[in-house]
Amino acid sequence: MNAYVGVATSNVIERYADVGSPWWWWAFVSLGIIAFLGYRDIELSAKVLGAVLVLESLLLLVMDFGILGHGGAHGLTAEPLSPSIAGNGSLGLGVMFAIFGFIGFEATAVFRNEAKDPDVTVPRATYVAILVIGVFYSFTVWAIVVGVGVDAVTVAAKADPEGLVLTLARSYVGSVWTDVMQVLLITSQFACVLAFHNVVTRYQFALSRARALPAPLGVVHPRHRAPSSSSAVASAVASVTTLVVVALDLDPIGGICTWFSGAATLGVVLLMAATSLAVIGYFRRAGEQQSVWRTVVAPSVAFLGLACVVYLMVANFPLLVGTTEGAWVIGGFVALSAVVGAVQALVLRARRPAVYERF
């Protein structure tokens, strides 16, 4: 994602200032700002993310209502919402990117240590996030399809996948609005990277507190009251990774961003599926008095649905990566990480059973 920030920033500066600059320079600038925000308390990052989110949402909503006001390309229609067209094109890739658009909603749980009333605010924030994201994405995608035209949207998306939305905004809202949207494209990607950074930081922090990772990662900054040490480590890893990409002269978008976003999506869906099974096993062993819906039915339905998604993603993974060999390599890393995690858990259970039980 940070590579995308670098490329987008470089393109915007070249377009409006006529100054060429390497993408990686701006990627490192982005990493520096993220390192600063991540090192401090979560409230500062939340304010930055909140401001960017509001601006992005307003810009897209203005475009959406502009399309509606003009009646779209050939009139407003509910055809894009018809279940009969779900099988058109590559369903697996569509599902993969749809899931990728939702990744992050589950991260509310890792911020419970910094919430005032986590038992209330964390579930509420999770459900609100799913509802708002689902409605907003559905409305915007429907408006885009109607704006281009149901029969023409596939061809248009293939011809100009990066500029499709900007072209729509220029046609229905105006060139000035398009320029603002192009700048906010950078801030939106920056917000994604900052959010991922904060989540990774707190996962490391939680694992350190559970004694599964080195103790320094679980240190809280005395003034910022944030896991600053964990944030510094995450920033260092991201910087080294970017250096490797630059040194190997890899494609920052077609290679790194696309491949690893697909790998991350597959990994998260696999984790969610495994968690659904773990919920059933946990309540069966714990013997807690909970409803059958919460302990068996809901997690079982979730597992079956996620298993179907995993099948679709794996079957279409070569289309995303570009080659079958590349899909095996990227998918192999996902599988390897699962094996490493399982081995670590077994070693932990054998050598430090008290720590294992704390999980």
Side-chain angles (χ1 to χ4, degrees), residues 9-329:
T9 306
S10 178
N11 290 342
V12 167
I13 291 177
E14 185 173 3
R15 176 176 179 177
Y16 294 105
D18 198 24
V19 177
S21 56
W23 68 267
W24 51 263
W25 197 91
W26 296 107
F28 281 115
V29 170
S30 170
L31 283 175
I33 298 173
I34 289 170
F36 170 77
L37 293 172
Y39 192 83
R40 301 175 67 86
D41 64 276
I42 192 64
E43 186 175 351
L44 179 60
S45 293
K47 289 178 179 177
V48 174
L49 289 171
V52 171
L53 177 64
V54 169
L55 289 174
E56 294 164 359
S57 301
L58 286 175
L59 282 174
L60 284 174
L61 285 173
V62 168
M63 182 193 73
D64 295 343
F65 284 108
I67 294 172
L68 264 63
H70 285 82
H74 307 294
L76 303 181
T77 174
E79 186 179 350
L81 306 177
S82 173
S84 61
I85 65 172
N88 294 349
S90 177
L91 178 61
L93 282 181
V95 170
M96 185 185 303
F97 281 105
I99 296 292
F100 181 66
F102 274 85
I103 284 181
F105 79 89
E106 79 290 344
T108 51
V110 301
F111 293 95
R112 64 179 295 111
N113 290 330
E114 294 162 275
K116 293 181 179 179
D117 189 2
D119 291 334
V120 174
T121 56
V122 169
R124 182 182 299 167
T126 304
Y127 289 122
V128 169
I130 294 172
L131 181 63
V132 172
I133 292 172
V135 172
F136 181 71
Y137 280 4
S138 300
F139 178 63
T140 298
V141 171
W142 172 77
I144 290 172
V145 173
V146 170
V148 178
V150 177
D151 297 330
V153 68
T154 303
V155 175
K158 289 181 178 179
D160 188 16
E162 296 180 359
L164 175 64
V165 174
L166 295 175
T167 301
L168 268 180
R170 185 176 293 109
S171 300
Y172 287 97
V173 186
S175 58
V176 174
W177 206 257
T178 306
D179 293 339
V180 176
M181 286 185 68
Q182 194 157 14
V183 173
L184 280 178
L185 174 64
I186 300 172
T187 62
S188 67
Q189 295 301 322
F190 173 83
C192 287
V193 180
L194 177 58
F196 281 134
H197 174 89
N198 286 332
V199 170
V200 170
T201 294
R202 277 138 185 96
Y203 271 127
Q204 292 178 160
F205 174 78
L207 289 170
S208 175
R209 285 299 180 95
R211 299 182 183 178
L213 288 180
L217 292 174
V219 175
V220 177
H221 195 282
R223 182 158 57 92
H224 300 310
R225 305 302 301 167
S228 300
S229 298
S230 179
S231 175
V233 171
S235 297
V237 171
S239 299
V240 171
T241 303
T242 305
L243 281 173
V244 171
V245 172
V246 175
L248 297 178
D249 195 26
L250 299 176
D251 183 355
I253 303 298
I256 300 303
C257 187
T258 303
W259 291 358
F260 287 98
S261 62
T265 305
L266 177 58
V268 169
V269 174
L270 284 169
L271 284 172
M272 289 181 178
T275 302
S276 299
L277 287 180
V279 168
I280 300 173
Y282 170 80
F283 282 111
R284 178 172 296 180
R285 290 193 307 270
E288 294 184 19
Q289 295 298 320
Q290 297 282 348
S291 66
V292 176
W293 166 258
R294 302 182 73 180
T295 58
V296 179
V297 178
S300 297
V301 172
F303 172 76
L304 292 175
L306 290 166
C308 292
V309 172
V310 170
Y311 170 77
L312 289 172
M313 292 176 66
V314 171
N316 291 271
F317 212 57
L319 290 175
L320 176 71
V321 176
T323 63
T324 303
E325 294 78 8
W328 276 105
V329 172

